[in-house]
Coordinates of all heavy atoms in Angstrom, one line a residue:
G51 N 4.2 21.8 -29.4 CA 3.5 23.0 -30.1 C 4.5 23.8 -30.9 O 4.2 24.2 -32.0
L52 N 5.6 24.0 -30.3 CA 6.7 24.8 -31.0 C 7.3 24.0 -32.1 O 7.5 24.5 -33.2 CB 7.8 25.2 -30.0 CG 8.7 26.3 -30.5 CD1 8.0 27.6 -30.9 CD2 9.7 26.6 -29.4
D53 N 7.5 22.7 -31.9 CA 8.1 21.8 -32.9 C 7.1 21.5 -34.1 O 7.6 21.6 -35.3 CB 8.6 20.5 -32.3 CG 9.8 20.7 -31.4 OD1 10.4 21.8 -31.4 OD2 10.0 19.8 -30.6
K54 N 5.9 21.2 -33.8 CA 4.9 20.8 -34.8 C 4.2 21.9 -35.5 O 3.9 21.9 -36.6 CB 3.9 19.8 -34.2 CG 4.6 18.5 -33.7 CD 5.3 17.7 -34.8 CE 5.8 16.4 -34.2 NZ 6.4 15.6 -35.3
L55 N 3.9 23.0 -34.7 CA 3.1 24.1 -35.2 C 3.9 25.4 -35.4 O 3.4 26.2 -36.2 CB 2.0 24.4 -34.2 CG 1.1 23.2 -33.8 CD1 0.0 23.7 -32.8 CD2 0.4 22.6 -35.0
G56 N 5.0 25.4 -34.9 CA 5.8 26.7 -35.0 C 5.2 27.8 -34.2 O 5.5 29.0 -34.5
R57 N 4.4 27.6 -33.3 CA 3.7 28.6 -32.5 C 3.9 28.4 -31.0 O 4.2 27.2 -30.6 CB 2.2 28.6 -32.8 CG 1.7 28.8 -34.2 CD 1.9 30.2 -34.7 NE 1.4 30.4 -36.0 CZ 0.1 30.8 -36.2 NH1 -0.7 30.9 -35.2 NH2 -0.3 30.9 -37.4
Q58 N 3.8 29.4 -30.3 CA 3.9 29.3 -28.8 C 2.7 28.7 -28.2 O 1.5 29.1 -28.6 CB 4.2 30.6 -28.1 CG 5.5 31.2 -28.5 CD 6.6 30.6 -27.9 OE1 6.6 29.9 -26.9 NE2 7.9 30.6 -28.5
V59 N 2.7 27.6 -27.4 CA 1.6 27.0 -26.8 C 1.8 27.3 -25.3 O 2.8 26.9 -24.7 CB 1.5 25.5 -27.1 CG1 0.4 24.9 -26.3 CG2 1.4 25.3 -28.6
S60 N 0.7 27.8 -24.6 CA 0.8 28.0 -23.2 C -0.4 27.2 -22.5 O -1.5 27.1 -23.1 CB 0.7 29.5 -22.9 OG -0.6 30.1 -23.4
V61 N -0.2 26.8 -21.3 CA -1.2 26.2 -20.4 C -1.2 26.8 -19.1 O -0.2 27.0 -18.4 CB -0.9 24.7 -20.3 CG1 -2.0 24.0 -19.5 CG2 -0.7 24.0 -21.7
G62 N -2.4 27.3 -18.7 CA -2.5 28.0 -17.4 C -2.3 27.0 -16.3 O -1.5 27.4 -15.4
A63 N -2.9 25.8 -16.2 CA -2.7 24.9 -15.1 C -3.0 23.5 -15.6 O -3.9 23.3 -16.5 CB -3.5 25.3 -13.9
V64 N -2.4 22.6 -15.0 CA -2.7 21.1 -15.3 C -3.0 20.4 -14.0 O -2.2 20.5 -13.0 CB -1.6 20.4 -16.0 CG1 -1.8 19.0 -16.3 CG2 -1.2 21.1 -17.3
E65 N -4.0 19.7 -13.9 CA -4.4 18.9 -12.7 C -4.4 17.4 -13.1 O -5.0 17.0 -14.2 CB -5.7 19.3 -12.2 CG -5.8 20.7 -11.7 CD -7.3 21.2 -11.4 OE1 -8.1 20.2 -11.3 OE2 -7.5 22.3 -11.1
F66 N -4.0 16.5 -12.2 CA -3.9 15.1 -12.6 C -4.3 14.4 -11.3 O -3.6 14.6 -10.2 CB -2.6 14.6 -13.1 CG -2.6 13.2 -13.4 CD1 -3.4 12.6 -14.3 CD2 -1.7 12.3 -12.7 CE1 -3.4 11.2 -14.6 CE2 -1.7 11.0 -12.9 CZ -2.5 10.4 -13.9
K67 N -5.2 13.4 -11.3 CA -5.6 12.6 -10.2 C -5.2 11.2 -10.6 O -6.0 10.5 -11.3 CB -7.1 12.7 -9.9 CG -7.5 14.1 -9.5 CD -9.1 14.2 -9.3 CE -9.5 15.6 -9.1 NZ -11.0 15.7 -8.8

Side-chain angles (χ1 to χ4, degrees):
L52 193 59
D53 291 345
K54 298 296 184 182
L55 306 180
R57 301 287 187 88
Q58 294 291 334
V59 176
S60 62
V61 183
V64 178
E65 301 173 5
F66 180 63
K67 300 177 181 179

